[in-house]
């Protein structure tokens, strides 16, 4: 099959330099899975695990600055921004480890963790922008699907590698490895991402950036609801009941959700672009998630013979939904806001995960795991409505604005 007529992963891995870029994305995904656990072990070695958990929780607030870092990337050269904040990030993480080694004041550790995450290079944002610049229309669906698969793999392997490094080398080794992987990912990224800062590419920038687009805001709402549903499923399924095997079963069910997500993402990447577009319609995917999560809510108590296949089927919608969210947000990004748009998507997903964990925890105390699971289909339906409303805005209210964006490009 010629390159002109290839599609899917064949088309993706025939793109120039794609293996180097894939390595950059993989290292970035591993770092994301290692950073929090690395902090936990580094702090717990000198203090307590509760103190380490507090530092992790505070450092997570630094993720809220990702849109600001995305705006910097849109305004200035990617290389300058990434390497500058990488140096700041490395110094702050180093300050945390030194302070723990000398058993210094706890507030210095907390401040270093928060500021270190505030200044963390947004590798995930850059790689999602990168896929759009190093691929063609034929290979782009496979790239976005591959990125989703890497994210799932990083979520599984990152904490494992961090724990292994801390146990076999030193308590601070996991955090050191996370910083190292960030540096390697930064080094491997293409040097010309976002080089075009011309007025035509920047367009007429609104003070609110991409949030000035009602279509994008509705998509962000759908992403938040999707992440809420996923987080509720993870919290409820992992909570053991009175049976002695329930904790083991909960771990198995969470693994099956991740396996289903990876399989779903791989399937999207193997499709033709036209079929991948039809298979990643976010309103449909979220309705499917609502249906299977409802079935899981009803059938989870029936035993593993019912829960196992339902978890696998529920997870199948995760990967394609991530592909849909990231792909659609890239299409909707106003000129000159590609990085900030992807940063807002990541922030919406983080907020959704936090909301799902918080609400799921409250429902667990009130109604137990079965009651908590009912929130997942409700959140999925709300996300489907928001995504559908965004599509309707595109075809009605925003048509003149869309033409203006196309002319600016």
């Amino acid at each position: 099959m010629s390159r002109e007529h290839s599609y899917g992963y064949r088309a993706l891995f025939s793109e120039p330099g794609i293996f180097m870029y894939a390595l950059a994305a993989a290292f970035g995904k591993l770092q994301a899975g290692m950073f929090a656990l690395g902090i936990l072990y580094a702090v717990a070695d000198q203090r307590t695990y509760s103190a380490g958990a507090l530092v992790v929780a505070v450092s997570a607030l630094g993720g809220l600055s990702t849109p600001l870092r995305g705006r910097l990337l849109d305004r200035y050269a990617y290389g300058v921004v990434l390497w500058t904040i990488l140096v700041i990030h490395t110094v702050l993480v180093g300050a945390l480890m030194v302070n723990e080694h000398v058993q210094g004041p706890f507030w210095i550790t907390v401040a270093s963790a928060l500021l270190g995450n505030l200044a963390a290079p947004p590798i995930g944002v850059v790689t999602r922008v990168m896929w759009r610049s190093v691929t063609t229309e034929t290979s782009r669906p496979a790239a976005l699907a591959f990125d989703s698969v890497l994210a799932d793999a990083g979520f599984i392997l990152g904490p494992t590698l961090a724990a292994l490094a801390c146990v076999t080398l030193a308590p601070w080794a996991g955090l050191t490895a996370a910083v190292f992987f960030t540096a390697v990912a930064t080094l491997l990224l293409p040097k010309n991402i976002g080089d075009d800062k011309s007025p035509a590419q920047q367009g007429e920038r609104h003070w609110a950036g991409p949030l000035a687009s009602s279509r994008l805001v509705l998509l962000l709402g759908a992403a938040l609801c999707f992440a809420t549903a996923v987080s509720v499923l993870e919290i409820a399924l992992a909570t053991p009941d009175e049976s002695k095997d329930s904790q083991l079963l909960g771990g198995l069910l969470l693994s099956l959700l991740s396996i289903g997500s990876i399989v779903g993402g791989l399937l999207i990447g193997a499709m033709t672009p036209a079929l991948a577009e039809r298979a990643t319609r976010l309103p449909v995917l979220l309705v499917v998630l609502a249906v299977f999560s409802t079935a899981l809510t009803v059938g989870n108590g029936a035993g593993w013979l019912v829960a196992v296949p339902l978890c696998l089927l529920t997870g199948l919608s995760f990967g394609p939904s991530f592909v849909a969210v990231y792909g659609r947000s890239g299409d909707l990004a106003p000129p000159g806001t590609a990085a900030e748009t992807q940063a807002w998507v990541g922030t919406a997903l983080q907020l959704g995960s936090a909301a799902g964990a918080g609400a799921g925890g409250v429902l667990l105390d009130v109604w137990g795991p079965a009651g908590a699971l009912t929130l997942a289909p409700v959140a999925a339906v709300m996300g489907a409505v928001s995504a559908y409303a965004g599509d309707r805005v595109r075809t009605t209210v925003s048509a003149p604005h869309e033409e203006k964006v196309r002319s600016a490009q």
Side-chain angles (χ1 to χ4, degrees):
M1 183 183 292
S2 65
R3 181 176 175 181
E4 290 77 8
H5 296 91
S6 63
Y7 60 87
Y9 298 111
R10 182 185 180 94
L12 174 62
F13 289 105
S14 66
E15 298 287 358
I18 201 67
F19 287 99
M20 192 73 70
Y21 307 150
L23 277 177
F27 278 117
K29 299 297 188 293
L30 283 174
Q31 180 275 340
M34 298 177 69
F35 186 72
L37 196 62
I39 290 179
L40 176 65
Y41 283 137
V43 175
D45 178 60
Q46 297 294 331
R47 305 182 193 269
T48 64
Y49 277 96
S50 60
L54 175 61
V55 176
V56 170
V58 173
S59 71
L61 297 175
L64 298 177
S65 72
T66 307
L68 175 60
R69 284 172 277 164
R71 182 166 291 198
L72 289 174
L73 289 167
D74 288 326
R75 193 176 295 265
Y76 304 104
Y78 275 42
V80 172
V81 175
L82 286 175
W83 284 106
T84 299
I85 61 179
L86 175 63
V87 171
I88 299 173
H89 174 72
T90 303
V91 169
L92 288 166
V93 172
L96 183 154
M97 290 190 289
V98 169
N99 188 63
E100 286 303 292
H101 179 70
V102 300
Q103 299 183 7
F106 185 56
W107 69 267
I108 294 181
T109 293
V110 174
S112 299
L114 174 60
L115 295 175
N117 207 18
L118 282 170
I123 302 298
V125 170
V126 177
T127 53
R128 290 193 294 273
V129 176
M130 173 192 73
W131 293 128
R132 301 186 72 85
S133 65
V134 302
T135 59
T136 63
E137 294 292 334
T138 303
S139 59
R140 190 164 301 139
L144 294 174
F146 183 65
D147 192 79
S148 171
V149 171
L150 286 178
D152 281 314
F155 176 77
I156 296 171
L157 296 177
T160 303
L161 290 177
L164 183 63
C166 292
V167 171
T168 59
L169 298 176
W172 45 263
L175 192 54
T176 303
V179 175
F180 173 75
F181 283 167
T182 303
V184 173
T186 303
L187 181 66
L188 295 177
L189 287 168
K191 302 300 184 289
N192 59 345
I193 306 177
D195 278 354
D196 187 0
K197 309 294 184 183
S198 64
Q201 179 64 19
Q202 290 288 323
E204 296 181 11
R205 187 181 180 93
H206 192 276
W207 66 268
L211 296 185
S213 168
S214 57
R215 292 176 293 166
L216 187 58
V217 170
L218 287 167
L219 178 66
L220 293 176
L224 189 150
C225 291
F226 164 60
T228 299
V230 173
S231 182
V232 168
L233 287 170
E234 292 174 344
I235 290 292
L237 292 175
T239 302
D241 54 26
E242 293 79 7
S243 62
K244 63 179 182 180
D245 296 329
S246 64
Q247 190 169 7
L248 179 60
L249 177 60
L252 172 62
L253 296 181
L254 291 182
S255 298
L256 287 170
L257 287 176
S258 297
I259 292 172
S261 180
I262 291 173
V263 171
L266 288 173
L267 289 175
I268 295 298
M271 296 176 181
T272 63
L275 183 58
E277 182 179 2
R278 290 195 294 271
T280 53
R281 291 173 179 168
L282 189 58
V284 176
L285 286 169
L286 293 180
V287 169
V288 171
L289 174 58
V291 170
F292 282 115
S293 58
T294 299
L296 189 57
T297 301
V298 175
N300 184 47
W304 66 271
L305 284 175
V306 175
V308 164
L310 284 177
C311 273
L312 188 58
L313 291 171
T314 302
L316 281 174
S317 64
F318 289 4
S321 294
F322 281 114
V323 175
V325 167
Y326 289 129
R328 185 70 182 136
S329 61
D331 295 336
L332 294 178
T337 67
E340 187 180 352
T341 297
Q342 294 298 333
W344 276 114
V345 173
T347 299
L349 292 171
Q350 290 178 8
L351 290 175
S353 295
V362 172
L363 292 177
L364 278 171
D365 290 337
V366 177
W367 293 332
L373 281 172
T374 59
L375 180 59
V378 172
V381 169
M382 292 173 61
V385 171
S386 184
Y388 178 76
D391 289 344
R392 293 299 299 164
V393 169
R394 177 182 63 82
T395 58
T396 56
V397 178
S398 297
H401 173 71
E402 188 176 50
E403 182 62 33
K404 186 177 181 181
V405 169
R406 281 199 298 265
S407 65
Q409 292 175 328

